[in-house]
């Protein structure tokens, strides 16, 4: 089989890329290790920057998002009982949209299928070959039979545990990593959200986040031990932990109920450079991870897809490879800013096991500065709604 762009991974990055290329007349094949149902069962991000929303519209996958997405003009940062509202619209003229990654992925699959997109699911043993030549190809197995896909380019959209990054020789790759000494325990519950905006809450017993999917579906997180397991947490224990971490006013109003999903995510900052090796490009979590504080994971994946789709379209329509040559540099410039913001939000709002009294005072001083300084609020707002592409 032959295609123009072989895309490894059928998560949001791979699907969005495939759909944007298709709309520009460029063929691709998406190879996904799991089933579609499995991909759609993952509960992940919930906050979309305007740049991602615009790309979904351009991909023909924006109709449901335009109908059901919830516009958020601001967010609340709380430290103890003190609450600071950061107004996105006032400081940036724009907003974010709350709409789950699961729904984004579903909309992209629907759009891809409506255009007879070419996918293979349950692929095993994907191996990427010869991307340092002009004739790259990918081999894989499905149900025990071997396949070969010849292509012009390979897009590695296969997440943090994929094979694409490891295809770049070790002596070429530089990796930067920070593991945080805690995780996030998250639950989804069919209850009304405690507030109409997200609340990022820091308390003396740790961090919590109040988020949502719709008016009767809430997503909440509490900071937990890195070694913890969701099995150690009854729903009641979760709600008690959440109430202790959010301002009293919200704890009193919180509507609790049974969880319909409960999982723990570790927190990590990670970047692998470069994001291109010959005819192989890395996109999204395959190249970088952010801790979820600040909601930059999916959004940064989307900015990579923007740079890569533009570069490939420029190559195929104008025979101009300059943007392909510059893909890694352009994508990484924005990636590092998202890394900085996510690291900063994480450092500001969590309790660290080795934190001294001085460190806590530094957090408090930083929060007081944010409260009293509209320029500091503007900086947070600019980063949260998303830096320009
Ligand atoms: P994905 O979503 O991981 O998709 C990669 C796809 O590649 C497939 N794959 C392979 N396919 C073929 N061959 C192989 N060898 C393969 N290896 C892997 C996988 O099955 C999968 O379908 O990466 P992508 O597309 O780059 O999208 C990135 C986002 O998913 C990610 O940044 C965010 O979800 C990160 N993230 C969060 N981001 C936020 O902004 N807010 C959040 O609340 C949030 N929560 C999370 C998260 C990531 C989590 N992970 C990775 C464990 C919670 C979790 C638990
Ligand atoms: C979510 O709704 O899952 C969510 C929202 C904001 C974050 C992280 C996760 O910063």
């Amino acid at each position: 089989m032959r295609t123009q762009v072989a895309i490894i991974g059928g998560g949001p990055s791979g699907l969005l890329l495939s759909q944007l290329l298709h709309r520009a007349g460029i063929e691709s094949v998406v190879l996904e290790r799991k089933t579609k149902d499995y991909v759609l069962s993952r509960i992940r991000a919930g906050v979309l920057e305007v740049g991602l929303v615009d790309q979904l519209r351009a991909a023909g996958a924006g109709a449901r998002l335009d109908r059901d997405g919830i516009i958020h003009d601001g967010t609340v940062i709380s430290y103890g009982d003190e609450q600071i509202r950061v107004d996105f619209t006032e400081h940036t003229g724009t907003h974010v949209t709350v709409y789950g990654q699961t729904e984004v992925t579903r909309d992209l699959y629907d759009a891809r299928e409506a255009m007879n997109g070419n996918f293979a699911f349950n692929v095993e043993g994907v191996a990427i070959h010869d991307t340092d030549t002009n004739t790259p190809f990918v081999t894989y197995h499905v149900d025990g039979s071997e396949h070969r896909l010849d292509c012009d380019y390979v897009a590695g959209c296969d997440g943090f545990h994929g094979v694409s990054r490891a295809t770049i020789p070790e002596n070429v790759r530089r990796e930067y990593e920070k593991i945080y000494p805690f995780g996030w325990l998250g639950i989804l519950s069919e209850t009304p959200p405690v507030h109409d905006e997200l609340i990022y809450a820091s308390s003396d017993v740790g961090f919590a986040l109040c988020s949502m999917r719709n008016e009767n579906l809430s997503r909440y997180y509490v900071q937990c031990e890195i070694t913890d397991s969701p099995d150690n947490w009854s729903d009641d224990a979760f709600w008690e932990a959440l109430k202790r971490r959010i301002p009293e006013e919200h704890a009193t109003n919180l509507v609790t109920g049974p969880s319909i999903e409960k999982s723990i995510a570790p927190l990590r900052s990670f970047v692998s450079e470069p994001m291109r090796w010959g005819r192989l490009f890395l996109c999204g979590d395959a190249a970088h991870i952010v801790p979820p504080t600040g909601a930059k994971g999916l959004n940064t994946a989307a900015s990579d897809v923007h740079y890569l789709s533009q570069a490939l379209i420029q190559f195929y329509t104008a025979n101009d490879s300059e943007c392909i040559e510059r893909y890694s540099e352009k994508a990484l410039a924005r990636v590092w800013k998202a890394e900085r913001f996510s690291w900063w939000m994480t450092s500001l709002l969590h309790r660290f096991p080795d934190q001294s009294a001085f460190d806590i005072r530094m957090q408090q001083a930083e929060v007081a500065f944010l409260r009293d300084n509209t320029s500091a609020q503007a900086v947070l707002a600019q980063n949260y709604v998303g830096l320009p592409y």
Side-chain angles (χ1 to χ4, degrees):
M1 197 171 26
R2 187 178 163 82
T3 191
Q4 288 173 304
V5 183
I7 298 179
I8 320 295
S13 308
L15 294 169
L16 180 59
L17 178 65
S18 169
Q19 184 66 2
L20 291 171
L21 293 179
H22 174 90
R23 292 208 131 198
I26 301 165
E27 272 176 40
S28 63
V29 175
V30 175
L31 305 178
E32 167 58 48
R33 182 170 62 173
K34 303 284 190 182
T35 63
K36 178 177 148 188
D37 285 347
Y38 181 92
V39 174
L40 289 176
S41 69
R42 294 192 282 229
I43 312 280
R44 290 185 177 175
V47 176
L48 315 188
E49 296 174 358
V50 167
L52 171 52
V53 171
D54 285 346
Q55 286 195 86
L56 289 165
R57 289 185 187 131
R64 211 159 59 97
L65 164 67
D66 281 330
R67 195 189 64 208
D68 298 342
I70 313 169
I71 305 288
H72 280 217
D73 292 318
T75 193
V76 175
I77 308 282
S78 75
Y79 201 93
D81 274 331
E82 173 156 30
Q83 296 182 55
I84 304 164
R85 177 168 187 272
V86 178
D87 192 316
F88 303 147
T89 319
E90 177 192 338
H91 293 299
T92 68
T94 187
H95 53 257
V96 292
T97 304
V98 169
Y99 189 73
Q101 175 170 336
T102 316
E103 306 310 318
V104 169
T105 313
R106 184 183 301 282
D107 294 344
L108 284 166
Y109 268 117
D110 288 349
R112 224 41 230 106
E113 281 164 2
M115 294 182 176
N116 293 320
N118 207 339
F119 309 97
F121 291 102
N122 289 319
V123 302
E124 290 171 352
V126 167
I128 302 168
H129 309 270
D130 293 358
T131 57
D132 54 343
T133 73
N134 288 337
T135 52
F137 64 99
V138 180
T139 53
Y140 57 97
H141 290 83
V142 182
D143 292 335
S145 64
E146 179 151 2
H147 298 258
R148 171 178 168 135
L149 178 61
D150 290 284
C151 54
D152 301 331
Y153 291 102
V154 181
C157 302
D158 49 352
F160 185 64
H161 300 288
V163 293
S164 301
R165 184 175 67 254
T167 303
I168 302 179
E170 253 174 58
N171 62 352
V172 175
R173 251 186 296 145
R174 295 175 301 277
E175 296 190 344
Y176 304 85
E177 184 170 51
K178 181 175 178 69
I179 311 263
Y180 299 86
F182 39 74
W184 278 17
L185 169 68
I187 69 157
L188 198 61
S189 81
E190 286 169 328
T191 51
V194 67
H195 186 53
D196 56 4
E197 291 182 341
L198 269 64
I199 304 172
Y200 288 87
S202 178
S203 78
D204 54 9
V205 286
F207 171 82
L209 170 63
C210 304
S211 182
M212 66 190 75
R213 292 293 178 269
N214 60 45
E215 73 277 0
N216 198 41
L217 193 56
S218 297
R219 180 77 168 149
Y220 296 109
Y221 299 92
V222 295
Q223 175 182 346
C224 65
E225 300 282 326
I226 199 164
T227 50
D228 216 336
S229 153
D231 302 335
N232 296 335
W233 287 80
S234 66
D235 288 352
D236 284 348
F238 181 89
W239 294 119
E240 280 316 304
L242 180 64
K243 281 184 191 165
R244 283 199 60 193
R245 293 158 195 232
I246 61 180
E248 201 181 332
E249 166 199 346
H250 298 299
T252 313
N253 291 335
L254 183 72
V255 179
T256 62
S259 62
I260 54 174
E261 194 265 355
K262 199 183 276 158
S263 54
I264 291 185
L267 268 71
R268 179 198 306 268
S269 298
F270 173 83
V271 180
S272 179
E273 297 182 339
M275 287 173 60
R276 177 177 75 93
W277 189 59
R279 288 175 172 254
L280 169 66
F281 308 96
L282 301 183
C283 258
D285 282 14
H288 43 77
I289 296 287
V290 287
T293 337
K296 290 290 157 238
L298 176 61
N299 291 301
T300 309
S303 62
D304 295 348
V305 170
H306 167 79
Y307 295 123
L308 182 54
S309 61
Q310 292 299 106
L312 290 168
I313 292 168
Q314 194 164 340
F315 171 75
Y316 282 110
T317 57
N319 201 20
D320 176 356
S321 58
E322 197 213 326
C323 286
I324 283 183
E325 306 289 333
R326 295 195 53 214
Y327 166 71
S328 177
E329 177 199 331
K330 275 186 162 179
L332 282 167
R334 194 173 185 281
V335 163
W336 277 112
K337 291 178 191 152
E339 291 283 344
R340 187 206 68 80
F341 178 64
S342 310
W343 159 83
W344 175 77
M345 284 264 289
T346 305
S347 312
L348 180 64
L349 298 173
H350 290 75
R351 280 294 136 118
F352 288 72
D354 59 353
Q355 206 167 20
S356 66
F358 179 84
D359 296 333
I360 290 174
R361 282 282 195 238
M362 288 298 97
Q363 285 186 336
Q364 289 168 346
E366 187 131 12
V367 169
F369 184 71
L370 182 68
R371 178 194 60 214
D372 298 338
N373 191 298
T374 49
S375 303
Q377 291 170 20
V379 168
L380 194 157
Q382 284 159 14
N383 281 278
Y384 198 92
V385 301
L387 298 174
Y389 284 179

